[in-house]
Amino acid sequence: MSLALDRAAQDLLFREARTANTFTDEPVTDEQVQAIYDLVKYGPTAFNQTPLRITLVRSPEARERLVAHMAEGNRAKTASAPLVAILSADNEFHEELPHLFPAFPQAKDAFFTERPVRESAAAMNAGLQAAYFIIGVRAAGLAAGPMTGADLEGIRKEFLDDDHTPLMVVNIGRPGPDAWHPRSPRLEFDQVVTTV
């Protein structure tokens, strides 16, 4: 069975897409980031809660502060990427629900009055959105280098507030020389899918 996307698009988004470890110095523009967001904002989340928040790290001073929180093996990549995004979950996403989910504006108070419930929902749904974001970066013809090897609590204190939980750091740009590690194996269909 064939997929609706042509082979070239499948390759761009999945088969040939890789986590980049080096980047050229070609800038990533605000227009490119806007186009990525305008595509991926349509990905589904529960109650359309869309808790993902994106902090773009552009200034040299902010980059230096971020690099200090990265694991040793991730520092050079983050220091040299044209653009770095901190992806976080907004634990107060429920405040937007009357606007974002007009079919049931009471969802805010019916399901999300308790902070632990919001944190769990925000983490799950922002994680989904982070995956869409990475695919959007690929759709823009750029490479993404998503990383969780960092002091995420330190990043929260440095760049966010108590209402936001950092999920990952994503380096973004055109791949540079020797950008790829060898591709690691993947599980086969019958190792993953069970029919009951």
Side-chain angles (χ1 to χ4, degrees):
M1 178 178 180
S2 63
L3 300 173
L5 282 177
D6 66 36
R7 180 92 184 177
Q10 294 170 35
D11 288 345
L12 177 70
L13 298 179
F14 297 99
R15 289 189 199 93
E16 300 299 325
R18 307 289 296 282
T19 296
N21 294 292
T22 67
F23 297 89
T24 69
D25 59 2
E26 181 180 334
V28 177
T29 67
D30 289 339
E31 292 78 15
Q32 286 172 300
V33 177
Q34 178 77 50
I36 291 165
Y37 177 74
D38 286 342
L39 175 66
V40 303
K41 69 184 179 183
Y42 295 109
T45 57
F47 295 101
N48 197 36
Q49 60 190 247
T50 61
L52 182 71
R53 300 296 179 263
I54 303 165
T55 303
L56 299 177
V57 181
R58 286 203 181 274
S59 75
E61 181 271 334
R63 181 74 60 100
E64 188 174 315
R65 289 169 34 220
L66 177 60
V67 167
H69 294 288
M70 300 306 296
E72 183 64 37
N74 292 332
R75 288 182 180 167
K77 296 182 264 193
T78 302
S80 65
L83 180 63
V84 181
I86 300 168
L87 304 188
S88 64
D90 181 357
N91 296 308
E92 297 298 309
F93 69 86
H94 68 305
E95 296 295 343
E96 300 292 338
L97 282 181
H99 166 70
L100 292 174
F101 199 59
F104 184 37
Q106 306 88 339
K108 171 188 171 187
D109 298 318
F111 298 107
F112 299 110
T113 57
E114 296 179 20
R115 176 71 178 232
V117 172
R118 290 197 306 275
E119 288 178 353
S120 176
M124 168 76 74
N125 288 279
L128 285 171
Q129 289 186 280
Y132 308 144
F133 180 80
I134 292 165
I135 293 171
V137 168
R138 293 171 174 181
L142 301 169
M147 300 173 297
T148 57
D151 174 8
L152 294 177
E153 179 59 17
I155 290 172
R156 185 193 62 73
K157 290 177 182 175
E158 189 80 38
F159 292 95
L160 306 170
D161 60 33
D162 288 340
D163 290 331
H164 293 79
T165 302
L167 303 172
M168 67 185 69
V169 172
V170 182
N171 297 325
I172 303 168
R174 302 255 180 229
D178 301 315
W180 323 119
H181 294 309
R183 185 172 301 276
S184 297
R186 298 298 193 266
L187 295 175
E188 296 300 324
F189 180 85
D190 60 358
Q191 294 176 284
V192 175
V193 177
T194 304
T195 302
V196 294

